[in-house]
Amino acid sequence: MRILVMCLLSLHALSGVFWAGSTLALSHSFFELTPKLFRAQMAAAALTVAAGIALWGVAIGGSHGPMATTLAIGALCAIVAAGVQGAMRRSPVVSQRIAAVLLSITVVCMVVSPYVT
């Protein structure tokens, strides 16, 4: 079980770092690269969300409390960010900027969740 959690966590973190990092970079510059990176970003988003769902099932399960609530807020922001990026392809700069804010909230939620009481 520990190996499964480590693998899922690694997959979740690596794909999430690419997704959030590329989104933040594209929201401030390199606008011409946005269409070229769209597929890679959406693949990373799907992988991040899928690994996150699996981690939730394995590590969080049915527990409730401040940590689970904080993680759920972060997960919801990530899912909305993926939706924004997918739906707003005609306005890539705006979609990247909205997604960048949402993914920043997601990252903060993931980082602080163990310390929320």
Side-chain angles (χ1 to χ4, degrees), residues 12-111:
H12 183 67
L14 290 172
S15 58
V17 165
F18 171 77
W19 180 26
S22 64
T23 299
L24 287 165
L26 292 172
S27 72
H28 294 292
S29 58
F30 308 113
F31 302 122
E32 68 280 352
L33 293 177
T34 299
K36 295 176 183 175
L37 285 175
F38 177 77
R39 289 177 65 129
Q41 283 188 302
M42 291 299 94
L47 194 55
T48 302
V49 171
I53 290 168
L55 271 171
W56 186 278
V58 171
I60 303 296
S63 68
H64 301 284
M67 180 178 165
T69 302
T70 305
L71 288 171
I73 291 168
L76 181 62
C77 287
I79 292 166
V80 171
V84 166
Q85 285 178 308
M88 296 183 65
R89 289 185 70 184
R90 292 182 186 223
S91 181
V93 174
V94 174
S95 71
Q96 294 292 344
R97 288 183 177 167
I98 293 169
V101 170
L102 291 166
L103 291 173
S104 295
I105 294 168
T106 297
V107 170
V108 169
C109 288
M110 301 300 152
V111 170

Side-chain angles (χ1 to χ4, degrees), residues 3-22:
I3 292 175
L4 175 63
V5 171
M6 289 188 291
C7 290
L8 286 171
L9 190 56
S10 297
L11 189 61
H12 183 67
L14 290 172
S15 58
V17 165
F18 171 77
W19 180 26
S22 64

